[in-house]
Amino acid sequence: MGGDYWLIANQRAELKLNSNTVTMSLTNTEKTIIVSIWAKIATHVDSIGVEALERLFASYPQTKTYFPHFDLHPDSAQLRSHGSKVANAIGDAVKNIDNIEKALAKLSELHAYILRVDPVNFKLLSHSFLVTIAAHYPAEFTAEAHAAWDKFLSIVSSVLTEKYR
Amino acid sequence: MFVIPSRLNAPQCLRKDHGISKASMQKRNRERLLVVYPWTQRFFDSFGNLSSASAILGNPKVKAHGKKVLTSLGDAVKNLDNLKGTFSKLSELHCDKLHVDPENFRLLGNVLIVVLAIHFGKEFTPEIQAAWQKLVAGVATALAHKYH
């Protein structure tokens, strides 16, 4: 009986070591908060995405090195299009909050094999998103909401860098 | 660490012209750090009840400490050209007595930025944010400068 237990426990430990699954998970309260704030964002998701990118490039100019081919002036067509893309991808993660890995599987491969954005930059973009949401929704962005969103974006970042090596 | 002169005004003008209650900002900043990054509570064992967001928000020791920290940040704004000198003693304190990992200074700096965004909304433009990011990064570096 004791031996069986150790065998199963070790198999489980091995499975965990071999899998790349994200270990953080959202509570139901956190999911509710994230979904409700997203509902407000959804009405102007493109401009939120653009603003997050503008904040990223202004505060962390080194992130512009990933966009040598872009016109990064405020309100450029490329910036608007990319801001929209990024924000909508986050929206997909929200809509599939119970299985973010599956929802972002293609994006995860894109980032790992084609884009290869250094993982440090996901924290910078996440922070830029948090600041954008805070500026637009001060009343809703309580400490709990801030914590939930920080955790959520952290999970999204983990999923996107999961296949890097 | 250089701060471009035209941006120097950003931190000062936000603080002076907008009459934001210093007390309310201090409280919000510190309590937010402890809620959003709960592992930062490790430094505050003597603070009593930090078991939930509402406990933290109502904790008088948290409030008092927030005031201390933000007063210090006020010193930074007055001494933008000499952050390392201004924070020299505090740096030694955080290393030798408090044993705080400097990563925590960066976390707190970013939480402060979010609190500023909440207070100032659209006025907290990307450019003003960038100036404040430089300031908090400079303070974090200055606080870590004397670590050994």
Side-chain angles (χ1 to χ4, degrees), chain B residues 46-68:
Chain B
S46 66
F47 273 34
N49 188 5
L50 298 177
S51 58
S52 67
S54 53
I56 293 170
L57 302 179
N59 187 312
K61 285 189 173 178
V62 172
K63 182 175 176 178
H65 198 69
K67 183 174 176 178
K68 218 190 259 189

Side-chain angles (χ1 to χ4, degrees), chain A:
Chain A
M1 174 62 186
D4 285 343
Y5 174 81
W6 279 110
L7 196 61
I8 292 165
N10 278 332
Q11 282 172 343
R12 282 211 182 118
E14 216 179 13
L15 268 172
K16 263 205 175 134
L17 277 172
N18 289 336
S19 88
N20 263 332
T21 50
V22 172
T23 48
M24 256 196 297
S25 61
L26 297 163
T27 64
N28 285 332
T29 310
E30 285 164 346
K31 289 179 191 176
T32 304
I33 291 172
I34 290 160
V35 167
S36 85
I37 287 188
W38 184 260
K40 296 190 190 295
I41 292 173
T43 56
H44 58 133
V45 64
D46 289 0
S47 65
I48 293 283
V50 169
E51 186 178 322
L53 287 180
E54 283 174 351
R55 289 185 183 280
L56 178 73
F57 296 141
S59 284
Y60 309 108
Q62 70 273 21
T63 55
K64 293 190 285 189
T65 56
Y66 289 95
F67 300 94
H69 52 299
F70 264 34
D71 168 12
L72 291 178
H73 289 105
D75 223 33
S76 82
Q78 281 174 316
L79 201 59
R80 273 185 280 121
S81 146
H82 199 69
S84 166
K85 220 185 260 188
V86 171
N88 279 298
I90 292 180
D92 285 341
V94 175
K95 282 170 213 138
N96 295 280
I97 205 163
D98 288 322
N99 196 345
I100 297 174
E101 276 183 65
K102 187 167 174 216
L104 299 185
K106 285 254 166 349
L107 271 180
S108 181
E109 284 174 9
L110 181 74
H111 281 78
Y113 306 128
I114 315 285
L115 301 177
R116 292 168 292 181
V117 173
D118 191 287
V120 72
N121 294 289
F122 291 92
K123 276 197 180 167
L124 305 181
L125 180 57
S126 297
H127 173 67
S128 303
F129 249 100
L130 293 179
V131 175
T132 303
I133 298 173
H136 282 261
Y137 304 104
E140 290 85 346
F141 209 62
T142 59
E144 286 97 334
H146 180 170
W149 269 90
D150 191 275
K151 197 170 161 185
F152 168 68
L153 290 176
S154 189
I155 292 171
V156 168
S157 303
S158 293
V159 167
L160 290 177
T161 54
E162 203 178 17
K163 300 184 168 112
Y164 270 41
R165 56 177 170 173

Side-chain angles (χ1 to χ4, degrees), chain B residues 4-145:
Chain B
I4 298 166
S6 65
R7 301 228 168 109
L8 260 175
N9 286 327
Q12 280 136 342
C13 86
L14 270 183
R15 294 284 292 271
K16 272 201 318 224
D17 301 344
H18 292 264
I20 293 290
S21 150
K22 197 172 175 183
S24 76
M25 280 246 275
Q26 286 152 359
K27 189 160 170 265
R28 295 222 173 91
N29 193 32
R30 171 56 42 151
E31 69 205 16
R32 200 165 272 253
L33 178 78
L34 297 173
V35 171
V36 178
Y37 305 112
W39 55 92
T40 55
Q41 293 169 23
R42 70 189 296 283
F43 301 107
F44 302 104
D45 281 341
S46 66
F47 273 34
N49 188 5
L50 298 177
S51 58
S52 67
S54 53
I56 293 170
L57 302 179
N59 187 312
K61 285 189 173 178
V62 172
K63 182 175 176 178
H65 198 69
K67 183 174 176 178
K68 218 190 259 189
V69 170
L70 233 69
T71 303
S72 237
L73 215 62
D75 289 341
V77 174
K78 289 181 208 128
N79 293 283
L80 291 173
D81 290 331
N82 184 21
L83 291 177
K84 287 189 173 124
T86 306
F87 285 95
S88 175
K89 284 268 170 308
L90 271 177
S91 180
E92 286 170 6
L93 178 77
H94 281 76
C95 173
D96 300 330
K97 295 265 158 27
L98 305 177
H99 311 293
V100 177
D101 179 349
E103 178 59 22
N104 292 284
F105 309 144
R106 290 174 250 290
L107 289 181
L108 182 59
N110 279 338
V111 170
L112 174 65
I113 302 271
V114 171
V115 171
L116 288 173
I118 288 172
H119 275 273
F120 293 107
K122 297 196 166 84
E123 278 182 80
F124 196 60
T125 62
E127 290 73 24
I128 290 183
Q129 180 193 345
W132 274 91
Q133 296 282 175
K134 277 190 174 177
L135 173 66
V136 300
V139 170
T141 302
L143 275 173
H145 189 63

